[in-house]
Amino acid sequence: IHTMEGNSMVRRVFVEKKQAFAVKAKELTVGQQIQVEYGDYGNWVDFQIDGIRADEKYIKVDCHTDTIHTTLVMKPEEMVEEQV
């Protein structure tokens, strides 16, 4: 996963110590909440999905927290753990 902001990289999407289930990135929907290791190792951030755009190669997920607005870029078949 990559962010659209600069060269900042996100290692992986995962839900830590919370009930979750895995979905493909192409199955994400607006309003879902995911937890992303963002900016640095061990820095887990909860994001709410605001919008989703797809092209032939990638899913672009617009999302936010209280202080961050970003776009995560994922491959359609990439597995993401969604918080429930």
Side-chain angles (χ1 to χ4, degrees), residues 9-64:
M9 301 238 349
V10 177
R11 279 191 345 161
R12 63 181 291 193
V13 176
F14 187 73
V15 177
E16 227 179 69
K17 299 180 183 173
K18 295 181 182 176
Q19 187 177 10
F21 63 94
V23 298
K24 293 181 179 178
K26 66 182 180 182
E27 298 170 340
L28 291 171
T29 59
V30 172
Q32 288 178 315
Q33 189 168 3
I34 57 176
Q35 190 175 65
V36 176
E37 191 170 21
Y38 183 81
D40 198 7
Y41 298 107
N43 184 40
W44 292 94
V45 179
D46 294 331
F47 284 100
Q48 182 167 344
I49 298 174
D50 300 316
I52 299 171
R53 298 169 282 133
D55 61 27
E56 299 83 39
K57 293 179 95 177
Y58 298 104
I59 304 293
K60 296 175 180 119
V61 180
D62 299 318
C63 52
H64 77 277

